[in-house]
Amino acid sequence: MERVSVLCLSLLLCSLSGAELQDNEIFEQREVSPESVNVPEPQPCPSDLHAVLREMSVKLAENRLMIQQLQTLNQEQAAKLKQLEKQSSHMDSQQQVGQVAFSASLLASGSGHTGPFNTHTTLVFRGVVSNIGNAYNPHTGIFTAPVRGAYHFEFHVYAEGGSPGLRVGLEKNGEHVLMAGEDQSNGFGSGSNGVTLLLEAGDVVFLRLWANRRIYDDSHHYSTFSGHLLFPM
C-alpha cells in the first residue's frame, strides 16, 4: 500500500514538471515572435541618395531649359504682336488719309504781281480749288505729307515780260528740287514743271519765288500749285 502511494506521488510530480516546461517553452516562443518584435525599417544607403540627387538635378536643369525656351518664345511672340499692331496702325492711318489732293491758285481774287523781293520768298497760293485731306495749308503755302508715300506735284507760273524775269522753285524740306521760269522782253510768259517725290510722313513741299523776281495772277488763275498722293508706302 505504501509503495502504491509513493508511485502515485512520483507520477504526479513528473506531470507537474512536464507541464511547467511546456508553459516555459510557450512563453519563450511568444516573447520572440516576429509580431512582438519592433524591427527598424531599412535606411537607404549613400549610393541611393546620390542617385536620387542626380535625378533631381537633371529634372531641375530640364525645367530651367524649358523656362528659358518659353521666355524666348514669349519674347518672339511679343515682338510679332508689336509688329502686327504697328502694321495695323499704319494701315488704319493709310485708310484714314488715303485720299489726298489739292489745287490752288496764287490769288483768291483780284489781279497783280507778287514780288520782287530781296530774298527767296515762299509763295502762298490762297485761291483753294480743292484740298482733299487738308494736307495743304492756304495760310502758309506749305503742303505736309500725312503718310509715307509717292506724291506728284505740278505748278504753272505766269508773269509779264520785261525785267525782272520769272523764277519759281519747288522745295522739299527746304531743299531745292526743280524750277520753272520765263524770260522775255515783252508780253506775258509762263513756265511749268512737275515731279513725283517719295515723302515721309511730316515732310513738307512748297514753292518759292526767287529773289528779285516776280509772278502774276488774276481772276483767270494763271499761276497754280497742285499735288496729290499717288499711293501710300
Side-chain angles (χ1 to χ4, degrees):
M1 187 64 179
E2 251 177 62
R3 290 181 179 178
V4 173
S5 299
V6 172
L7 182 58
C8 291
L9 182 58
S10 298
L11 291 173
L12 180 59
L13 291 173
C14 289
S15 299
L16 292 173
S17 298
E20 184 178 358
L21 289 174
Q22 187 176 3
D23 290 340
N24 289 337
E25 289 177 358
I26 294 172
F27 179 77
E28 290 176 358
Q29 290 177 359
R30 288 179 179 174
E31 285 185 344
V32 297
S33 63
E35 292 80 358
S36 62
V37 177
N38 186 14
V39 180
E41 295 182 358
Q43 299 296 323
C45 63
S47 60
D48 293 337
L49 290 175
H50 291 162
V52 171
L53 291 175
R54 283 196 300 271
E55 184 178 357
M56 293 177 65
S57 299
V58 170
K59 290 183 177 179
L60 181 60
E62 291 176 350
N63 290 336
R64 287 177 178 173
L65 179 60
M66 185 178 296
I67 291 173
Q68 291 177 353
Q69 292 174 345
L70 290 174
Q71 289 176 341
T72 301
L73 180 61
N74 184 56
Q75 292 174 354
E76 293 175 352
Q77 294 296 329
K80 289 181 180 179
L81 179 61
K82 186 176 181 179
Q83 183 64 24
L84 289 174
E85 290 176 348
K86 184 178 180 181
Q87 292 177 355
S88 177
S89 176
H90 182 63
M91 291 177 64
D92 290 342
S93 64
Q94 288 181 355
Q95 291 176 356
Q96 291 175 3
V97 294
Q99 304 295 326
V100 177
F102 78 97
S103 187
S105 61
L106 182 61
L107 298 180
S109 62
S111 63
H113 283 93
T114 299
F117 306 105
N118 58 7
T119 60
H120 291 1
T121 302
T122 300
L123 290 172
V124 181
F125 289 77
R126 302 184 184 278
V128 175
V129 179
S130 61
N131 192 12
I132 302 169
N134 295 316
Y136 173 73
N137 189 333
H139 303 291
T140 62
I142 295 174
F143 173 86
T144 303
V147 294
R148 185 178 190 270
Y151 294 81
H152 184 74
F153 298 93
E154 292 182 357
F155 60 102
H156 304 271
V157 290
Y158 192 76
E160 185 179 6
S163 181
L166 172 64
R167 291 290 186 277
V168 174
L170 182 143
E171 299 197 4
K172 169 189 172 183
N173 296 331
E175 295 182 359
H176 177 72
V177 178
L178 45 77
M179 179 184 290
E182 179 70 19
D183 285 311
Q184 60 185 52
S185 59
N186 53 49
F188 282 87
S190 65
S192 61
N193 216 330
V195 66
T196 297
L197 298 175
L198 173 61
L199 301 181
E200 301 293 336
D203 284 351
V204 296
V205 175
F206 52 90
L207 297 181
R208 271 186 176 173
L209 178 66
W210 279 35
N212 303 316
R213 304 288 179 166
R214 63 181 181 174
I215 183 173
Y216 177 84
D217 197 21
D218 60 22
S219 59
H220 296 291
H221 306 307
Y222 292 106
S223 297
T224 61
F225 180 32
S226 302
H228 63 277
L229 171 65
L230 295 174
F231 49 85
M233 298 178 64

